[in-house]
Amino acid sequence: MTHTAVDGAYAPTADYAHAIEVHGAQRLLFVSGTMGLDPAGVPGASLEEQLELLWNNLRAILAAADMTVDNIVRLTSYLRDAAYAEANAKARTEALGGRVIPTTAIVAQTLTPEWLVEVEVVAAG
């Protein structure tokens, strides 16, 4: 159940929610920062390729826990450059099928310069 403050806070944009409340979850899955790397550990050549690989990797990690992107209740993105915010938000919105969740994007130096974006999630089931 998503919550949006109507008094005393700014309105969220259409691609995220102020808060989400989880009822009856028996499991929580905390996923480490995940990058846009192929199975050999090689980063995608472009931001778009890395975002596609990143979401494929998240789907595989979630599947290993018998979950899907529908179980994601919180997401944090670490972007190497603020210019990546729009593409990142678009990829997230598409991956979640338009479902809005609490999300934060932070511009940060990644551990390896070729890693353009890293995403960590919390999933509940």
Side-chain angles (χ1 to χ4, degrees):
M1 173 187 309
T2 59
H3 295 280
T4 300
V6 292
D7 292 321
Y10 56 88
T13 58
D15 67 330
Y16 81 96
H18 279 156
I20 192 167
E21 185 176 341
V22 178
H23 289 273
Q26 296 180 11
R27 301 183 315 141
L28 290 176
L29 181 70
F30 297 87
V31 180
S32 293
T34 303
M35 285 78 63
L37 309 177
D38 69 15
V42 177
S46 67
L47 176 61
E48 290 73 22
E49 187 178 344
Q50 286 194 27
L51 287 165
E52 182 178 343
L53 287 166
L54 182 150
W55 281 100
N56 288 341
N57 291 336
L58 282 173
R59 285 183 194 94
I61 293 164
L62 290 164
D66 294 322
M67 292 186 176
T68 71
V69 295
D70 292 336
N71 294 99
I72 296 173
V73 295
R74 177 79 178 107
L75 182 145
T76 303
S77 299
Y78 300 92
L79 310 173
R80 189 150 186 88
D81 190 308
Y84 302 160
E86 186 176 337
N88 181 61
K90 181 177 184 254
R92 181 189 71 247
T93 301
E94 288 175 5
L96 297 178
R99 188 170 61 87
V100 294
I101 60 171
T103 182
T104 301
I106 301 167
V107 177
Q109 181 177 346
T110 55
L111 293 176
T112 301
E114 293 81 21
W115 298 348
L116 304 180
V117 62
E118 183 174 347
V119 170
E120 65 182 15
V121 301
V122 176

Short mmCIF file of all heavy atoms in Angstrom, two decimals, residues 15 34 47-48 50-52 54-55 58 75-96 103-106 116-120:
data_model
loop_
_atom_site.label_atom_id
_atom_site.label_comp_id
_atom_site.label_asym_id
_atom_site.label_seq_id
_atom_site.Cartn_x
_atom_site.Cartn_y
_atom_site.Cartn_z
N ASP A 15 6.76 8.92 -10.96
CA ASP A 15 7.55 7.69 -11.02
C ASP A 15 8.00 7.15 -9.66
O ASP A 15 8.77 6.21 -9.60
CB ASP A 15 8.76 7.87 -11.94
CG ASP A 15 9.78 8.85 -11.40
OD1 ASP A 15 9.39 9.79 -10.68
OD2 ASP A 15 10.97 8.68 -11.70
N THR A 34 23.71 -3.80 -7.36
CA THR A 34 23.80 -4.64 -8.55
C THR A 34 24.13 -3.76 -9.74
O THR A 34 23.53 -2.70 -9.92
CB THR A 34 22.45 -5.36 -8.77
OG1 THR A 34 22.15 -6.11 -7.59
CG2 THR A 34 22.49 -6.29 -9.96
N LEU A 47 25.18 3.31 -21.28
CA LEU A 47 24.28 3.40 -20.13
C LEU A 47 23.05 2.54 -20.36
O LEU A 47 22.63 1.79 -19.47
CB LEU A 47 23.87 4.86 -19.89
CG LEU A 47 22.85 5.08 -18.78
CD1 LEU A 47 23.39 4.60 -17.43
CD2 LEU A 47 22.44 6.55 -18.72
N GLU A 48 22.47 2.59 -21.54
CA GLU A 48 21.27 1.81 -21.83
C GLU A 48 21.53 0.32 -21.71
O GLU A 48 20.72 -0.43 -21.16
CB GLU A 48 20.74 2.15 -23.23
CG GLU A 48 20.14 3.54 -23.35
CD GLU A 48 21.17 4.68 -23.33
OE1 GLU A 48 22.37 4.43 -23.64
OE2 GLU A 48 20.79 5.81 -22.97
N GLN A 50 23.88 -1.07 -19.88
CA GLN A 50 24.09 -1.38 -18.46
C GLN A 50 22.76 -1.44 -17.71
O GLN A 50 22.56 -2.31 -16.86
CB GLN A 50 25.04 -0.37 -17.82
CG GLN A 50 26.48 -0.59 -18.24
CD GLN A 50 27.47 0.16 -17.39
OE1 GLN A 50 27.22 0.45 -16.22
NE2 GLN A 50 28.63 0.45 -17.96
N LEU A 51 21.84 -0.54 -18.03
CA LEU A 51 20.54 -0.58 -17.37
C LEU A 51 19.78 -1.86 -17.71
O LEU A 51 19.16 -2.47 -16.85
CB LEU A 51 19.71 0.66 -17.75
CG LEU A 51 20.18 1.96 -17.09
CD1 LEU A 51 19.56 3.16 -17.78
CD2 LEU A 51 19.89 1.95 -15.60
N GLU A 52 19.87 -2.29 -18.96
CA GLU A 52 19.21 -3.55 -19.34
C GLU A 52 19.83 -4.73 -18.61
O GLU A 52 19.13 -5.57 -18.06
CB GLU A 52 19.32 -3.75 -20.85
CG GLU A 52 18.64 -5.01 -21.34
CD GLU A 52 18.70 -5.18 -22.85
OE1 GLU A 52 18.98 -4.21 -23.56
OE2 GLU A 52 18.49 -6.32 -23.31
N LEU A 54 21.54 -4.62 -15.79
CA LEU A 54 21.26 -4.44 -14.37
C LEU A 54 19.90 -5.03 -14.02
O LEU A 54 19.78 -5.80 -13.06
CB LEU A 54 21.30 -2.94 -14.05
CG LEU A 54 21.10 -2.52 -12.62
CD1 LEU A 54 21.87 -1.26 -12.37
CD2 LEU A 54 19.64 -2.32 -12.30
N TRP A 55 18.87 -4.69 -14.79
CA TRP A 55 17.54 -5.22 -14.50
C TRP A 55 17.44 -6.71 -14.76
O TRP A 55 16.75 -7.43 -14.04
CB TRP A 55 16.46 -4.41 -15.22
CG TRP A 55 16.21 -3.14 -14.45
CD1 TRP A 55 16.69 -1.89 -14.72
CD2 TRP A 55 15.49 -3.03 -13.23
NE1 TRP A 55 16.31 -1.01 -13.74
CE2 TRP A 55 15.56 -1.68 -12.81
CE3 TRP A 55 14.78 -3.93 -12.44
CZ2 TRP A 55 14.95 -1.22 -11.64
CZ3 TRP A 55 14.16 -3.47 -11.29
CH2 TRP A 55 14.26 -2.14 -10.90
N LEU A 58 18.99 -8.16 -11.65
CA LEU A 58 18.05 -8.09 -10.52
C LEU A 58 16.96 -9.14 -10.64
O LEU A 58 16.60 -9.79 -9.65
CB LEU A 58 17.44 -6.70 -10.41
CG LEU A 58 18.34 -5.63 -9.80
CD1 LEU A 58 17.69 -4.25 -9.91
CD2 LEU A 58 18.67 -5.96 -8.35
N LEU A 75 14.02 1.04 -3.44
CA LEU A 75 15.11 1.00 -4.41
C LEU A 75 15.99 2.23 -4.25
O LEU A 75 15.48 3.34 -4.08
CB LEU A 75 14.52 0.97 -5.83
CG LEU A 75 15.47 0.89 -7.00
CD1 LEU A 75 14.87 0.04 -8.10
CD2 LEU A 75 15.83 2.26 -7.53
N THR A 76 17.30 2.01 -4.28
CA THR A 76 18.26 3.11 -4.26
C THR A 76 19.18 2.95 -5.48
O THR A 76 19.71 1.87 -5.70
CB THR A 76 19.11 3.10 -2.98
OG1 THR A 76 18.23 3.18 -1.85
CG2 THR A 76 20.07 4.28 -2.95
N SER A 77 19.32 4.03 -6.23
CA SER A 77 20.20 4.05 -7.40
C SER A 77 21.42 4.91 -7.09
O SER A 77 21.29 5.98 -6.49
CB SER A 77 19.49 4.66 -8.61
OG SER A 77 18.36 3.92 -8.97
N TYR A 78 22.56 4.42 -7.51
CA TYR A 78 23.81 5.18 -7.41
C TYR A 78 24.26 5.45 -8.83
O TYR A 78 24.58 4.51 -9.58
CB TYR A 78 24.87 4.38 -6.63
CG TYR A 78 24.40 4.05 -5.24
CD1 TYR A 78 23.74 2.85 -4.97
CD2 TYR A 78 24.60 4.95 -4.19
CE1 TYR A 78 23.29 2.56 -3.69
CE2 TYR A 78 24.14 4.66 -2.91
CZ TYR A 78 23.49 3.46 -2.67
OH TYR A 78 23.03 3.17 -1.41
N LEU A 79 24.27 6.73 -9.22
CA LEU A 79 24.59 7.12 -10.58
C LEU A 79 25.96 7.78 -10.63
O LEU A 79 26.26 8.64 -9.80
CB LEU A 79 23.54 8.11 -11.10
CG LEU A 79 22.07 7.70 -10.93
CD1 LEU A 79 21.16 8.84 -11.34
CD2 LEU A 79 21.78 6.45 -11.74
N ARG A 80 26.75 7.40 -11.58
CA ARG A 80 28.08 8.00 -11.73
C ARG A 80 27.96 9.46 -12.16
O ARG A 80 28.84 10.27 -11.89
CB ARG A 80 28.91 7.21 -12.71
CG ARG A 80 30.35 7.66 -12.75
CD ARG A 80 31.28 6.51 -13.09
NE ARG A 80 32.66 6.92 -12.99
CZ ARG A 80 33.37 6.87 -11.89
NH1 ARG A 80 32.85 6.40 -10.79
NH2 ARG A 80 34.63 7.26 -11.88
N ASP A 81 26.87 9.80 -12.84
CA ASP A 81 26.68 11.15 -13.37
C ASP A 81 25.21 11.52 -13.23
O ASP A 81 24.33 10.70 -13.53
CB ASP A 81 27.11 11.18 -14.84
CG ASP A 81 27.19 12.57 -15.43
OD1 ASP A 81 26.20 13.32 -15.31
OD2 ASP A 81 28.22 12.90 -16.03
N ALA A 82 24.93 12.74 -12.81
CA ALA A 82 23.54 13.19 -12.66
C ALA A 82 22.79 13.13 -13.99
O ALA A 82 21.57 12.99 -14.00
CB ALA A 82 23.51 14.61 -12.10
N ALA A 83 23.49 13.21 -15.09
CA ALA A 83 22.86 13.15 -16.41
C ALA A 83 22.20 11.80 -16.66
O ALA A 83 21.41 11.66 -17.59
CB ALA A 83 23.90 13.45 -17.50
N TYR A 84 22.49 10.78 -15.86
CA TYR A 84 21.93 9.45 -16.04
C TYR A 84 20.56 9.29 -15.37
O TYR A 84 19.90 8.26 -15.51
CB TYR A 84 22.86 8.37 -15.48
CG TYR A 84 24.24 8.36 -16.07
CD1 TYR A 84 25.28 7.76 -15.39
CD2 TYR A 84 24.53 8.93 -17.30
CE1 TYR A 84 26.57 7.72 -15.92
CE2 TYR A 84 25.81 8.91 -17.83
CZ TYR A 84 26.82 8.31 -17.13
OH TYR A 84 28.09 8.27 -17.66
N ALA A 85 20.11 10.31 -14.63
CA ALA A 85 18.89 10.18 -13.84
C ALA A 85 17.66 9.87 -14.68
O ALA A 85 16.86 9.01 -14.32
CB ALA A 85 18.66 11.45 -13.02
N GLU A 86 17.48 10.55 -15.79
CA GLU A 86 16.28 10.33 -16.60
C GLU A 86 16.24 8.92 -17.18
O GLU A 86 15.21 8.24 -17.11
CB GLU A 86 16.21 11.36 -17.72
CG GLU A 86 14.91 11.30 -18.51
CD GLU A 86 14.81 12.39 -19.55
OE1 GLU A 86 15.47 13.44 -19.42
OE2 GLU A 86 14.04 12.19 -20.51
N ALA A 87 17.34 8.45 -17.75
CA ALA A 87 17.40 7.09 -18.31
C ALA A 87 17.19 6.05 -17.22
O ALA A 87 16.51 5.04 -17.42
CB ALA A 87 18.72 6.87 -19.04
N ASN A 88 17.77 6.29 -16.04
CA ASN A 88 17.61 5.37 -14.93
C ASN A 88 16.15 5.30 -14.49
O ASN A 88 15.61 4.22 -14.26
CB ASN A 88 18.51 5.81 -13.77
CG ASN A 88 18.41 4.88 -12.59
OD1 ASN A 88 18.71 3.70 -12.68
ND2 ASN A 88 17.96 5.42 -11.47
N ALA A 89 15.49 6.45 -14.36
CA ALA A 89 14.08 6.48 -13.96
C ALA A 89 13.21 5.78 -15.00
O ALA A 89 12.29 5.04 -14.65
CB ALA A 89 13.62 7.92 -13.75
N LYS A 90 13.51 5.98 -16.26
CA LYS A 90 12.74 5.33 -17.33
C LYS A 90 12.90 3.82 -17.26
O LYS A 90 11.92 3.07 -17.35
CB LYS A 90 13.19 5.85 -18.70
CG LYS A 90 12.43 5.26 -19.86
CD LYS A 90 12.90 5.87 -21.19
CE LYS A 90 12.05 5.35 -22.32
NZ LYS A 90 12.72 4.39 -23.14
N ALA A 91 14.12 3.35 -17.07
CA ALA A 91 14.37 1.90 -16.98
C ALA A 91 13.67 1.31 -15.77
O ALA A 91 13.08 0.23 -15.84
CB ALA A 91 15.87 1.62 -16.91
N ARG A 92 13.71 2.02 -14.64
CA ARG A 92 13.04 1.56 -13.42
C ARG A 92 11.53 1.48 -13.63
O ARG A 92 10.89 0.48 -13.29
CB ARG A 92 13.36 2.48 -12.24
CG ARG A 92 12.70 2.04 -10.94
CD ARG A 92 12.83 3.06 -9.82
NE ARG A 92 12.00 4.22 -10.08
CZ ARG A 92 12.47 5.44 -10.32
NH1 ARG A 92 13.76 5.69 -10.36
NH2 ARG A 92 11.63 6.44 -10.55
N THR A 93 10.96 2.53 -14.19
CA THR A 93 9.52 2.57 -14.43
C THR A 93 9.08 1.43 -15.34
O THR A 93 8.08 0.75 -15.09
CB THR A 93 9.12 3.93 -15.03
OG1 THR A 93 9.51 4.96 -14.11
CG2 THR A 93 7.63 4.02 -15.27
N GLU A 94 9.85 1.18 -16.41
CA GLU A 94 9.53 0.08 -17.32
C GLU A 94 9.67 -1.27 -16.62
O GLU A 94 8.81 -2.14 -16.76
CB GLU A 94 10.43 0.14 -18.55
CG GLU A 94 10.09 1.28 -19.49
CD GLU A 94 11.06 1.41 -20.66
OE1 GLU A 94 11.97 0.56 -20.81
OE2 GLU A 94 10.91 2.38 -21.42
N ALA A 95 10.75 -1.45 -15.87
CA ALA A 95 11.00 -2.73 -15.20
C ALA A 95 9.91 -3.03 -14.18
O ALA A 95 9.53 -4.19 -14.00
CB ALA A 95 12.37 -2.73 -14.53
N LEU A 96 9.39 -2.00 -13.52
CA LEU A 96 8.37 -2.20 -12.51
C LEU A 96 6.96 -2.13 -13.09
O LEU A 96 5.98 -2.20 -12.35
CB LEU A 96 8.52 -1.16 -11.39
CG LEU A 96 9.82 -1.22 -10.59
CD1 LEU A 96 9.86 -0.11 -9.56
CD2 LEU A 96 10.00 -2.58 -9.94
N THR A 103 11.90 5.50 -3.77
CA THR A 103 13.19 5.37 -4.45
C THR A 103 14.04 6.61 -4.19
O THR A 103 13.51 7.70 -3.97
CB THR A 103 12.98 5.16 -5.97
OG1 THR A 103 14.25 5.00 -6.61
CG2 THR A 103 12.24 6.31 -6.62
N THR A 104 15.33 6.40 -4.20
CA THR A 104 16.29 7.49 -4.03
C THR A 104 17.38 7.30 -5.07
O THR A 104 17.81 6.17 -5.33
CB THR A 104 16.93 7.45 -2.63
OG1 THR A 104 15.90 7.57 -1.65
CG2 THR A 104 17.95 8.55 -2.44
N ALA A 105 17.80 8.41 -5.67
CA ALA A 105 18.94 8.37 -6.60
C ALA A 105 20.04 9.25 -6.03
O ALA A 105 19.79 10.38 -5.60
CB ALA A 105 18.53 8.86 -7.98
N ILE A 106 21.23 8.72 -6.01
CA ILE A 106 22.39 9.41 -5.45
C ILE A 106 23.47 9.44 -6.51
O ILE A 106 23.77 8.42 -7.15
CB ILE A 106 22.91 8.67 -4.21
CG1 ILE A 106 21.81 8.59 -3.15
CG2 ILE A 106 24.17 9.32 -3.66
CD1 ILE A 106 22.11 7.62 -2.02
N LEU A 116 28.43 2.54 -14.58
CA LEU A 116 27.73 3.82 -14.70
C LEU A 116 26.57 3.96 -13.72
O LEU A 116 26.19 5.07 -13.36
CB LEU A 116 27.23 4.00 -16.14
CG LEU A 116 28.31 3.89 -17.22
CD1 LEU A 116 27.70 4.08 -18.59
CD2 LEU A 116 29.44 4.89 -16.96
N VAL A 117 26.00 2.84 -13.32
CA VAL A 117 24.86 2.85 -12.39
C VAL A 117 24.88 1.58 -11.57
O VAL A 117 25.31 0.52 -12.05
CB VAL A 117 23.52 3.01 -13.16
CG1 VAL A 117 23.28 1.87 -14.10
CG2 VAL A 117 22.35 3.19 -12.21
N GLU A 118 24.47 1.72 -10.32
CA GLU A 118 24.36 0.57 -9.42
C GLU A 118 23.04 0.73 -8.68
O GLU A 118 22.66 1.84 -8.31
CB GLU A 118 25.54 0.60 -8.44
CG GLU A 118 25.59 -0.56 -7.49
CD GLU A 118 26.88 -0.55 -6.64
OE1 GLU A 118 27.82 0.19 -6.95
OE2 GLU A 118 26.90 -1.31 -5.65
N VAL A 119 22.32 -0.36 -8.49
CA VAL A 119 21.01 -0.30 -7.85
C VAL A 119 20.94 -1.35 -6.76
O VAL A 119 21.35 -2.49 -6.95
CB VAL A 119 19.87 -0.54 -8.88
CG1 VAL A 119 18.53 -0.73 -8.19
CG2 VAL A 119 19.80 0.62 -9.87
N GLU A 120 20.43 -0.95 -5.59
CA GLU A 120 20.14 -1.90 -4.53
C GLU A 120 18.65 -1.86 -4.23
O GLU A 120 18.03 -0.79 -4.34
CB GLU A 120 20.98 -1.65 -3.28
CG GLU A 120 20.70 -0.34 -2.59
CD GLU A 120 21.59 -0.12 -1.37
OE1 GLU A 120 22.60 -0.81 -1.20
OE2 GLU A 120 21.25 0.80 -0.60
#
